[in-house]
Amino acid sequence: MTEPTFLMLTALAGGPKHGYAVIEDVARMTEGRVRLRAGTLYAALDRLRTEGLIEVDREEVVQSRLRRYYRLTGAGEQSLAAESARLRAQAAMAEGRLRARRTEFGGATA
Amino acid sequence: MTSPEVRYRRLLALYPREFRREYEDEMLGVLMADSPGPAQVFDLVRSALAAHLSRPFAPGRDWRRAAWVVQVFGSMLMLAMALRVVAIEVTASTLPYGNRFDLDTVETLRVVGWSVALASALFGPRLIGHAGAVVGLVGEIGAPARYYLDTPAMVLYSYWLIVGAAVVLAAGLGAKRGTWPPRGSVPVAAAGVVLVLHGFVLFGNVLWPIRAALPWVAVALAGLGVWRLRPAVRRRVVAWAVPVVVTVPVVRVGFGGFIEYNGFHPESLRLLGAVQVAALVLVPVATFFVVAELNRRLEASRAVSRTGVADK
């Protein structure tokens, strides 16, 4: 799972959101490091819908323009949980090795 | 309409029509709310191009399920064609003037490869199935290639089998296994039995008068198997099958003169040229994309008529 996909699913795990709200939430979660563009966002939304990880929650019209809210499906929740567990395990492994490295070098930092 | 909106609409026109129908309004809203700039434009152009490239494959559930059906049915029929050669060898060896039964390496590869591909398509694991299909494809290419320098037309006669093997391998790579057995398996398996039976019927056999009809019976049974599939899957299976079917008119119309010349000039060293080989490869590939695109448009127009959404 790519980072933008992971972040989008994470954004939708907080509740149904429309496209621009997903962009804003991802930017907020990453403190501005990741700013999704419309092209990337909708390519990913289309793919995630096809894979059944997200679905349309509701639609509304704002200033004569369609606004569609997306929500996480059960499969999306499972997929996000699996990816979170994988990242957590990898982070724990990295932290463990860094701890061992610091002990080995007597607390000296490179 | 504001100027940025006009600019964005022009950029969104780069997307496939189906994608625009689904997302254009939403994307416009996001683009108008977001900050403009070259990065935004570049992202739209790149994503539009990617959308065009990914559309024919449409990696939806129906495509992946159809790919599995193609993998299963295709492996069945390819195995039947390989066993048909075994049947011919066995029957010929029983005749008073026949040769001793001897199955060479290439024919053995075909039988083993397609047996493994079929077993793996049904029960897994996938990687072994791909390896089996690769072995089968090598066998299908190797069978006529042995005679290529003496009789180049042999490759043309067997070309549909080579394309069929490539299609089964390609379908297997994108297949998603469904509930076993897939709908329509019984008629397709019966088609395979008929093809093997065809190999046992040599001159003097009681079935000899109807031997010529047996391949058509197999085609009819395979067609019945495909017909019994769910319409969305059936249309995609047909798209996969078209590259194989199209080789028949391509070889007959495009290479009839070559085959005839080869028949009357066995001493000739005239082989297939680079352009001819390119045509043999590209025409089946192109027909797959054309039929996949037609299928996509058909389904898109049906979806529009169902939902009553007007095309923009």
Side-chain angles (χ1 to χ4, degrees), chain B residues 75 78-79 110-118 132-133 136-137 140 165 168:
Chain B
S75 299
M78 296 304 293
L79 176 60
R110 291 174 71 191
V111 174
V112 172
W114 294 122
S115 301
V116 170
L118 177 59
L137 175 60
E140 299 302 335
V168 173

Side-chain angles (χ1 to χ4, degrees), chain A residues 42-75:
Chain A
Y42 280 92
L45 286 175
D46 185 49
R47 183 171 48 78
L48 293 172
R49 279 178 77 186
T50 305
E51 291 171 359
L53 301 186
I54 63 168
E55 61 191 3
V56 174
D57 182 71
R58 66 184 188 277
E59 292 178 350
E60 58 186 35
V61 176
V62 180
Q63 294 175 338
S64 348
R65 196 160 278 146
L66 176 73
R67 179 180 280 179
R68 199 179 268 153
Y69 286 76
Y70 297 93
R71 67 162 173 254
L72 209 58
T73 62

Side-chain angles (χ1 to χ4, degrees), chain B residues 8-299:
Chain B
Y8 283 134
R9 277 197 189 278
R10 282 187 191 138
L11 286 168
L12 290 171
L14 297 174
Y15 277 86
R17 191 167 55 164
E18 190 190 340
F19 194 97
R20 278 205 320 274
R21 187 183 295 129
E22 188 67 22
Y23 298 110
E24 185 176 37
D25 222 20
E26 270 184 272
M27 288 179 81
L28 262 178
V30 170
L31 287 164
M32 296 299 285
D34 208 2
S35 52
Q40 193 78 268
V41 173
F42 175 78
D43 184 61
L44 281 175
V45 174
R46 185 188 57 79
S47 301
L49 184 65
H52 275 289
L53 291 175
S54 65
R55 283 280 122 178
F57 294 107
R61 199 173 297 166
D62 287 333
W63 268 112
R64 299 196 68 191
R65 186 55 49 82
W68 180 64
V69 171
V70 170
Q71 189 189 16
V72 173
F73 287 4
S75 299
M76 274 184 188
L77 295 173
M78 296 304 293
L79 176 60
M81 288 302 290
L83 289 174
R84 179 180 159 277
V85 176
V86 178
I88 291 171
E89 292 290 330
V90 168
T91 312
S93 70
T94 61
L95 298 174
Y97 50 84
N99 296 326
R100 191 170 56 84
F101 175 76
D102 181 26
L103 200 64
D104 67 18
T105 311
V106 171
E107 300 303 344
T108 308
L109 277 180
R110 291 174 71 191
V111 174
V112 172
W114 294 122
S115 301
V116 170
L118 177 59
S120 301
L122 295 174
F123 309 112
R126 286 169 59 92
L127 202 58
I128 292 177
H130 302 331
V134 168
V135 170
L137 175 60
V138 169
E140 299 302 335
I141 294 170
R146 290 173 293 180
Y147 311 108
Y148 179 63
L149 290 176
D150 290 331
T151 318
M154 285 291 286
V155 172
L156 297 171
Y157 286 130
S158 309
Y159 190 60
W160 69 277
L161 282 171
I162 295 172
V163 174
V167 162
V168 173
L169 173 61
L173 295 173
K176 183 177 174 61
R177 191 176 301 149
T179 314
W180 185 87
R183 209 189 285 186
S185 294
V186 174
V188 175
V193 171
V194 170
L195 287 173
V196 178
L197 183 66
H198 185 257
F200 281 116
V201 183
L202 296 186
F203 186 70
N205 188 292
V206 66
L207 291 174
W208 177 254
I210 62 160
R211 185 177 191 268
L214 290 178
W216 294 108
V217 173
V219 168
L221 285 167
L224 177 64
V226 173
W227 181 254
R228 293 182 66 179
L229 295 166
R230 200 158 48 80
V233 175
R234 183 171 62 225
R235 282 194 294 273
R236 287 162 173 80
V237 169
V238 169
W240 279 107
V242 161
V244 183
V245 175
V246 84
T247 57
V248 177
V250 165
V251 167
R252 286 202 174 186
V253 176
F255 295 86
F258 183 95
I259 292 171
E260 193 179 349
Y261 180 84
N262 196 198
F264 286 109
H265 299 83
E267 78 291 354
S268 169
L269 292 177
R270 187 178 154 195
L271 303 175
L272 291 168
V275 175
Q276 290 172 309
V277 172
L280 284 170
V281 173
L282 293 177
V283 170
V285 173
T287 50
F288 169 75
F289 280 98
V290 168
V291 175
E293 176 64 14
L294 289 174
N295 186 46
R296 187 182 66 74
R297 290 187 180 195
L298 172 78
E299 293 189 347

Side-chain angles (χ1 to χ4, degrees), chain A residues 1 3-5 13 17 25 34 50 61 68 70-72 99 108-109:
Chain A
M1 188 182 286
E3 188 185 19
T5 304
K17 288 182 180 61
D25 198 22
V34 177
T50 305
V61 176
R68 199 179 268 153
Y70 297 93
R71 67 162 173 254
L72 209 58
R99 260 197 308 275
T109 51

